[in-house]
């Protein structure tokens, strides 16, 4: 996690961002994120 505001200001976490290749004209890509985050109460 890089940044957040409001309720998410102090969240922490890590993961992997995956771009899975072009799925449509115009440069659109299918993407997904795997990982976890912790949002403070």
């Amino acid at each position: 996690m890089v940044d957040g505001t409001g309720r998410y200001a102090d969240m922490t976490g890590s993961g992997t961002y995956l771009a899975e290749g072009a799925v449509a004209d115009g440069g659109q890509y299918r993407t997904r994120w795997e990982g976890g985050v912790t949002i403070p109460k």
Side-chain angles (χ1 to χ4, degrees), residues 14-20 29-35:
S14 63
T16 303
Y17 175 78
L18 305 164
E20 298 178 340
Y29 290 84
R30 179 178 318 210
T31 60
R32 62 188 166 109
W33 186 84
E34 294 178 348

